[in-house]
Amino acid sequence: MKIIKKTSILGIITMAIVVLNDCKKEDPNAGNLTNRKTSAVFNPNKTYGTLTDQDGNVYKTITLGTQTWMAENLRTTKYRNGSKVPEVKSNDAWFAFNTDAYCNYNNTTSADTIATYGRLYNWLAVSDSRNLAPIGWHIPTNTEWSKLINYLGGSTVAGGKLKEEGSTHWLVQNGLSTNESGLTALPGGCRNRIGWFVTAGYNCVWWSINNERVDYNYWILLLESNNSRVEMYIDNGGFGNSVRCIKD
C-alpha cells in the first residue's frame, strides 16, 4: 500500500509540473519583464488593439481616421532582423555618436519605468536600414505627423489631445490635456548630445523619420507640459528621443 501511495503522489506532482510548463509556453508575455508593467493612464473610452514587436514587447495600438498608431513608446532592444541595438550608458560614449544606440532614461533598469516610458534612441538607430519598427510598421514621416495633427484640430490644440490626462506623469498640468486621441503621450524626456538626461516629466520628444536634414539636424515632434501645442523642430542626431510607430 505504501508503494501505491508514493506512486500516486509522484504522478500528481508530475502532472502539475507538465500543466505549469504548458501554461508558460502558451503565455506570449513570458520572459519579457516589461509587459503589463506600464503605469500609463490610457483613455478608457477608446478601443485599443495590440502589437508585438521583435523583442516580444506587447503594445496598445489606436486607430485615428485612416492611421493606426502605437499608443505606447517603442522599447525594443533589437532590429527587425533580430540584430541587437547597442545600449550606450556612458556620457562619453554617447557623445562620440559613432554607433547606433539606445538607452534607458538615467540608465534605469526598472521594468516598470521602461514599460511606461519606453527607451530612447539616437538618429543612427532610428534611420538604420535594419528597422527598429516591427514588421508592417514604420517610424512616421513629417507628412504622417502633420496628418495626425490636422486630424486632431491643428498644432495649437493637438498636444492636449495627445497627452495623457491628469498629473500621474506630467509634472505640470494646465488642465487642457484630455488624451482624446488615446495616444497617451508621456513626458519621457530625452538624452542630449553630451549624454545628459533632461526634461523627464516636462517634455515628450518623438523622432520623425524624414530624410530631410537641416544643417546636420533632424526633425522631431515636441510636446511640452505647460501648453496644449505640438511643434515640429529640428534636433541634433546625437540626441536620444522616444519613438512611436505607425502602421504601413
Side-chain angles (χ1 to χ4, degrees):
M1 292 297 291
K2 288 181 181 177
I3 294 173
I4 293 172
K5 271 189 174 180
K6 271 187 183 176
T7 304
S8 299
I9 292 169
L10 285 171
I12 291 169
I13 292 171
T14 302
M15 287 178 67
I17 291 170
V18 170
V19 170
L20 285 171
N21 284 337
D22 285 344
C23 288
K24 285 179 183 177
K25 288 176 185 177
E26 291 172 3
D27 184 358
N29 299 311
N32 193 307
L33 298 178
T34 65
N35 287 336
R36 301 196 184 107
K37 294 290 185 68
T38 181
S39 59
V41 182
F42 297 97
N43 187 332
N45 300 314
K46 290 291 185 180
T47 300
Y48 290 93
T50 59
L51 161 70
T52 302
D53 72 11
Q54 54 270 19
D55 222 2
N57 299 298
V58 180
Y59 308 88
K60 289 184 183 298
T61 65
I62 190 76
T63 297
L64 297 169
T66 59
Q67 296 178 317
T68 299
W69 293 82
M70 285 172 50
E72 303 176 61
N73 289 341
L74 193 70
R75 57 183 190 270
T76 186
T77 62
K78 297 175 184 174
Y79 291 108
R80 189 181 294 177
N81 67 357
S83 300
K84 290 184 177 180
V85 184
E87 181 180 10
V88 175
K89 294 183 177 181
S90 80
N91 289 359
D92 288 344
W94 188 269
F95 177 72
F97 189 48
N98 56 10
T99 184
D100 51 322
Y102 84 85
C103 62
N104 304 320
Y105 195 92
N106 279 338
N107 291 320
T108 185
T109 58
S110 165
D112 293 0
T113 302
I114 295 167
T116 301
Y117 294 104
R119 305 184 194 273
L120 304 174
Y121 304 88
N122 70 7
W123 176 255
L124 293 178
V126 168
S127 60
D128 196 287
S129 61
R130 289 171 290 182
N131 292 302
L132 280 175
I135 294 173
W137 295 72
H138 61 275
I139 300 170
T141 64
N142 283 6
T143 300
E144 289 168 323
W145 280 122
S146 295
K147 185 174 181 179
L148 173 65
I149 292 167
N150 291 332
Y151 180 83
L152 295 175
S155 61
T156 59
V157 297
K161 296 178 181 180
L162 287 166
K163 290 192 291 185
E164 177 194 69
E165 187 177 10
S167 56
T168 301
H169 299 100
W170 289 92
L171 297 180
V172 177
Q173 185 54 251
N174 61 4
L176 300 176
S177 299
T178 64
N179 198 18
E180 181 181 319
S181 66
L183 262 76
T184 318
L186 296 175
C190 63
R191 190 175 193 179
N192 67 20
R193 182 70 175 84
I194 59 177
W196 294 354
F197 295 97
V198 294
T199 71
Y202 298 96
N203 288 345
C204 169
V205 190
W206 287 317
W207 280 114
S208 175
I209 199 61
N210 259 44
N211 291 323
E212 179 184 356
R213 188 175 70 179
V214 182
D215 296 329
Y216 298 94
N217 291 286
Y218 301 86
W219 288 100
I220 61 164
L221 198 82
L222 175 68
L223 284 72
E224 299 175 300
S225 59
N226 61 352
N227 61 65
S228 59
R229 296 184 62 82
V230 55
E231 301 285 357
M232 297 292 295
Y233 286 103
I234 54 173
D235 199 353
N236 189 289
F239 273 59
N241 299 319
S242 300
V243 168
R244 284 291 176 99
C245 298
I246 183 172
K247 195 172 185 179
D248 292 350

